[in-house]
Amino acid sequence: KQAIPLLERSVELDPTYATAWNTLSLRYYNDANYSDGGQRAIERSQAAAERAFALDPRMPEISRRLIVLRVEGGDLNAAFDQAAELLRRRPDSADAHFCLAYVMRYAGLLEESCAECDVARRLDPKNSRLWRSCAVSFYQLDRYDRAWEYVQAEGSSVWARNTTWTLLMRQGKHT
């Protein structure tokens, strides 16, 4: 939350700096989802991501941010189109495969989502923070051993602890 005013100042000083706009979008997104920013922060996240994309449409991080916002906003068709285009332009990008996996998960295409997660992880095995949500696709298919791989790669973060409880409960191990 403390980063938001600093990033706002940064894009005020240099409104052409796509990376700052993208980072601002992420901070607004986190404020909406993990703090008290609410819908207003989501709207700001969307606007900052669109500005970043207009400045540099080649950065996969910016495309990922827009795709996530579209998915979570319920616009799966636009998210799928953008993810497919990103993958077409960058077939060797782990980000592109993860984006498609994310859209497919929300669309209920869990097998396809898992396959794309595996490709993303194979292309960039050290990016556990990004791929961690792939655990969801696997545990929704009751493939707990595979879900655990993604959770354990994340280490001891709050997300990993929460997801560990989810996995244990889904497996009936709640005692």
Side-chain angles (χ1 to χ4, degrees):
K1 206 162 184 82
Q2 293 172 338
I4 291 173
L6 299 172
L7 288 161
E8 288 172 338
R9 179 71 175 135
S10 176
V11 298
E12 184 181 301
L13 292 171
D14 185 357
T16 65
Y17 188 31
T19 300
W21 282 105
N22 186 55
T23 305
L24 181 58
S25 174
L26 176 60
R27 292 295 136 213
Y28 283 140
Y29 175 86
N30 288 344
D31 186 35
N33 287 293
Y34 306 112
S35 187
D36 59 356
Q39 185 59 35
R40 178 82 173 121
I42 287 292
E43 291 165 4
R44 288 178 171 178
S45 179
Q46 181 75 37
E50 288 172 1
R51 179 67 186 263
F53 188 77
L55 292 167
D56 190 352
R58 296 165 297 145
M59 286 180 63
E61 303 86 16
I62 295 171
S63 291
R64 178 178 3 104
R65 174 77 18 238
L66 280 171
I67 290 165
V68 166
L69 286 164
R70 287 189 173 114
V71 165
E72 293 178 5
D75 192 355
L76 290 178
N77 289 331
F80 177 82
D81 290 345
Q82 189 169 7
E85 173 60 20
L86 178 61
L87 189 60
R88 185 193 65 72
R89 284 186 291 124
R90 303 195 55 163
D92 294 332
S93 165
D95 259 329
H97 287 279
F98 172 76
C99 287
L100 191 55
Y102 195 78
V103 174
M104 289 178 165
R105 181 177 85 203
Y106 275 78
L109 301 169
L110 298 175
E111 294 285 348
E112 294 86 346
S113 176
C114 289
E116 290 298 327
C117 282
D118 284 340
V119 172
R121 189 172 178 204
R122 192 169 43 253
L123 290 170
D124 187 1
K126 295 181 181 179
N127 199 344
S128 63
R129 181 155 177 76
L130 183 58
W131 318 143
R132 69 186 186 182
S133 76
C134 288
V136 176
S137 295
F138 285 100
Y139 76 60
Q140 287 180 338
L141 288 171
D142 297 331
R143 294 186 191 158
Y144 300 112
D145 57 330
R146 296 300 316 283
W148 282 114
E149 290 175 21
Y150 284 89
V151 173
Q152 290 169 341
E154 174 64 11
S156 62
S157 70
V158 171
W159 179 91
R161 287 192 305 272
N162 290 340
T163 305
T164 293
W165 283 109
T166 300
L167 285 170
L168 291 170
M169 295 293 286
R170 288 183 64 100
Q171 293 177 70
K173 299 177 182 178
H174 42 80
T175 55

